[in-house]
Amino acid sequence: MTELTYTAPKPKVIPGATGDWEIVIGMEVHAQVKSEAKLFSGASTKFGAEPNSNVSLVDAAMPGMLPVINEYCVEQAVRTGLGLKAEINLYSRFDRKNYFYPDLPQGYQISQLYHPIVGEGEVLVDMEPGVARRVRIERIHLEQDAGKSVHDMDPTMSFVDLNRTGVALMEIVSRPDIRGPEEAAEYVRKLRQILRYLGTCDGNMQEGSMRADVNVSVCRPGDYERYQESQDFSHLGTRCEIKNMNSMRFIQAAIEYEARRQIAILEDGGSIDQETRLYDAAKNETRSMRSKEEAHDYRYFPDPDLLPLEIDQAWVDEIGAGLPELPDEKRARFVLDFGMTEYDASVLTAEVASADFFEKVAAGRDGKMAANWVINELFGRLNKEDIALSDSPVSAEQLGGIIDLIGQKVISGKIAKDLFEIVWTEGGDPAKIVEERGMKQVTDTGAIEAAVDEIIAGNPAQVEKAKGNPKLAGWFVGQVMKATGGKANPQAVQDIVRSKLGLE
Ligand code: ADP
Ligand code: MG
């Protein structure tokens, strides 16, 4: 397979009163591990269950309860690391991150600060065909999620739901390699796509399966290149961290706001305080939550209840051998194998299900034509009517059947659209429908000639005009197509009209 070559997109530049500014972004994405059970207990992770029904004694932190690591969650983290072309650490370890909060009954979160399970990797963020940003992944560590405090159900009381407590999260930390709001959203989209391909996170942002902490700073042109060369952070501006974002649109809006807020302060001669901020979508602004000075002292130490996590290279290799084809590779293969554009390939490979659907339609058929029908006719229609591909009224077999009929010249492209409409609303076998409803294309030249003769005889004035202006032949073709109910082979009509009008 040939490698696709990429150039890096330009960073977003914001002009200020004192000169240009650039944005620098690093993200910490919390992705919920797709697993039936929690990280250290057998309790269910099912979303939407009755409050406090998915809580084991371990999750509730009853005295004397001991955590037991869920091997499947470890496997999912390794799979994710391999999918992000990252280094897998055969030795990792769990630490306690101590803090008090009502939805954290243990009084600490089990996480991996010093020895994460996954080291350096990368995500290619596609901005447009042939243009991608390589965003370095610094690390991925496994940790527990906390529960949920509910403050808006009662005027005087707060409630706590521990269903989420102890659910396995992967914290995926990027280097500050993202250079604009659109790129940040695209990074999350790409990461989500890869995780969904791998089956390690369902990527459902509404349900909170993926949340991002977004670190934003601004610098002058040239500073980022100096940082890249030296990896010395002092070339970059002071960052603020916007917590818990779960929508691509809000991520972009928050970065846009935050960068302008920082620029205004700097241009006024002020300096940026490193702090944690919250995005208020209703007001479209970020607000300070806590400053670095009041930052928690988490008193990290190795969790004495858990042994270091040691895994075998052989197991890692086995997981690696089972990895599916990932989005970048699938897209490149579609471009090469089916001769489609990068754009079409990225539409078709957005989800594994859509790529699989397309491949079924394309098998043994013209790839470009299959891509065109899947994207423009089927996906276009599904989108318009807000129907999921899994509920598509037209199956891959049926769509393939329609394409076969066009390829065999049994029907014209135009009739094929009518046929698609029938299959969409009524279902059925396309070939049978064409047979039963007399939709076959007329290729019998005798019948077409008769239709052409009739039109010519009935329109002597048009015939005169066409002799001086060959472009008018199209009008005759149109009339014949109309007279034959669109079933005449357009190429045959064209040829016969031209020869009868003496335009050859
Ligand atoms: P901490 O441990 O305090 O959270 P990290 O070094 O782990 O700090 O960085 C957290 C995130 O902040 C990472 O995603 C990193 O890429 C990002 N980051 C670090 N410095 C900057 C900066 N100057 N501008 C933007 N993002 C940054
Ligand atoms: Mg951090």
Side-chain angles (χ1 to χ4, degrees):
M1 195 163 72
T2 43
E3 288 273 315
L4 291 169
T5 49
Y6 291 101
T7 56
K10 296 214 160 38
K12 171 159 181 145
V13 172
I14 301 180
T18 59
D20 286 348
W21 295 92
E22 288 180 7
I23 307 180
V24 174
I25 301 156
M27 288 221 207
E28 297 159 282
V29 171
H30 290 91
Q32 181 176 329
V33 174
K34 201 164 161 186
S35 157
E36 308 254 299
K38 296 183 179 181
L39 183 54
F40 297 114
S41 84
S44 165
T45 58
K46 204 166 171 54
F47 180 81
E50 265 300 285
N52 297 310
S53 60
N54 294 340
V55 187
S56 75
L57 296 173
V58 174
D59 309 319
M62 288 298 158
M65 293 299 116
L66 290 173
V68 176
I69 186 105
N70 177 342
E71 183 181 341
Y72 184 68
C73 292
V74 176
E75 184 181 331
Q76 292 288 60
V78 170
R79 185 174 289 124
T80 301
L82 293 171
L84 300 181
K85 314 214 172 348
E87 180 193 335
I88 306 299
N89 296 323
L90 299 181
Y91 175 96
S92 65
R93 217 181 60 191
F94 289 96
D95 305 297
R96 287 186 180 179
K97 178 180 182 179
N98 298 280
Y99 65 99
F100 171 78
Y101 209 73
D103 60 21
L104 186 77
Q106 282 172 159
Y108 56 85
Q109 176 193 31
I110 304 178
S111 182
Q112 296 187 310
L113 178 68
Y114 302 104
H115 299 279
I117 183 155
V118 178
E120 295 190 355
E122 67 171 39
V123 174
L124 281 179
V125 180
D126 331 277
M127 298 311 292
E128 55 189 280
V131 179
R133 170 95 56 202
R134 181 172 167 265
V135 175
R136 294 167 300 162
I137 299 297
E138 182 183 319
R139 57 189 275 152
I140 303 176
H141 58 259
L142 273 169
E143 63 184 28
Q144 301 175 295
D145 204 351
K148 195 170 96 183
S149 299
V150 184
H151 304 294
D152 56 5
M153 270 175 62
D154 188 280
T156 58
M157 280 187 287
S158 283
F159 298 93
V160 68
D161 176 5
L162 299 183
N163 281 352
R164 228 184 228 299
T165 309
V167 163
L169 299 179
M170 297 178 280
E171 180 169 334
I172 305 166
V173 183
S174 88
R175 299 271 183 202
D177 289 349
I178 303 163
R179 305 303 316 281
E182 296 79 19
E183 257 180 51
E186 206 47 35
Y187 168 77
V188 176
R189 194 197 60 76
K190 185 65 178 284
L191 188 58
R192 179 174 179 272
Q193 183 189 29
I194 296 171
L195 299 184
R196 285 170 59 88
Y197 263 64
L198 292 166
T200 57
C201 170
D202 68 23
N204 192 330
M205 296 181 79
Q206 278 94 49
E207 292 181 3
S209 304
M210 250 181 106
R211 287 111 72 186
D213 298 343
V214 186
N215 296 270
V216 181
S217 67
V218 296
C219 64
R220 293 295 194 178
D223 286 345
Y224 184 78
E225 288 69 23
R226 283 185 269 282
Y227 153 71
Q228 276 287 16
E229 236 157 70
S230 60
Q231 292 302 306
D232 177 352
F233 280 88
S234 69
H235 293 294
L236 299 180
T238 302
R239 71 178 196 268
C240 288
E241 178 176 7
I242 312 164
K243 277 276 178 208
N244 249 325
M245 309 285 303
N246 68 348
S247 121
M248 314 275 188
R249 196 158 59 84
F250 292 163
I251 287 174
Q252 290 190 52
I255 293 170
E256 194 80 45
Y257 173 88
E258 180 58 20
R260 288 178 195 281
R261 184 189 72 86
Q262 293 181 14
I263 291 169
I265 293 173
L266 293 169
E267 295 213 314
D268 243 21
S271 60
I272 306 301
D273 295 327
Q274 186 175 334
E275 58 185 5
T276 303
R277 300 179 69 85
L278 277 184
Y279 177 68
D280 180 338
K283 295 202 175 111
N284 185 30
E285 62 178 35
T286 62
R287 266 202 308 275
S288 181
M289 191 174 141
R290 58 172 182 260
S291 71
K292 192 75 177 175
E293 286 75 55
E294 340 158 20
H296 291 110
D297 171 9
Y298 292 120
R299 290 165 296 130
Y300 276 99
F301 65 88
D303 191 310
D305 291 340
L306 288 158
L307 287 167
L309 186 56
E310 291 183 67
I311 57 178
D312 290 335
Q313 186 59 45
W315 188 53
V316 174
D317 294 343
E318 196 185 308
I319 297 169
L323 285 197
E325 184 181 36
L326 290 170
D328 288 335
E329 287 121 46
K330 206 185 269 295
R331 192 183 55 201
R333 180 168 65 78
F334 276 20
V335 169
L336 294 169
D337 286 6
F338 300 107
M340 64 177 75
T341 61
E342 275 256 353
Y343 178 79
D344 284 355
S346 63
V347 171
L348 292 171
T349 57
E351 300 279 347
V352 179
S354 54
D356 286 352
F357 186 98
F358 164 75
E359 288 204 271
K360 258 195 217 156
V361 175
R365 303 188 176 99
D366 179 72
K368 266 192 192 161
M369 190 153 152
N372 184 34
W373 274 85
V374 170
I375 294 174
N376 298 318
E377 300 308 317
L378 184 66
F379 288 2
R381 186 68 179 270
L382 290 170
N383 253 337
K384 204 167 117 202
E385 303 203 10
D386 200 18
I387 300 173
L389 177 60
S390 52
D391 299 327
S392 171
V394 177
S395 69
E397 290 72 21
Q398 286 168 316
L399 193 54
I402 296 175
I403 294 170
D404 284 343
L405 294 167
I406 306 170
Q408 295 152 6
K409 301 207 165 28
V410 176
I411 54 174
S412 65
K414 191 182 162 297
I415 292 288
K417 293 197 179 168
D418 299 341
L419 177 59
F420 178 83
E421 189 61 38
I422 296 171
V423 176
W424 176 278
T425 46
E426 302 172 31
D429 172 25
K432 253 202 202 135
I433 295 171
V434 165
E435 192 67 51
E436 286 167 7
R437 305 198 188 185
M439 296 169 79
K440 278 194 183 169
Q441 170 163 266
V442 180
T443 38
D444 167 11
T445 47
I448 297 175
E449 267 185 61
V452 174
D453 286 342
E454 202 170 309
I455 304 286
I456 287 182
N459 299 280
Q462 284 292 102
V463 174
E464 271 320 300
K465 274 196 228 161
K467 283 186 176 152
N469 181 3
K471 277 191 194 141
L472 285 180
W475 182 83
F476 288 90
V477 174
Q479 293 300 306
V480 174
M481 292 307 288
K482 219 193 225 166
T484 55
K487 284 183 289 186
N489 179 319
Q491 192 53 51
V493 176
Q494 180 96 4
D495 294 346
I496 293 168
V497 163
R498 293 183 72 84
S499 91
K500 295 235 173 205
L501 289 175
L503 298 173
E504 232 68 50

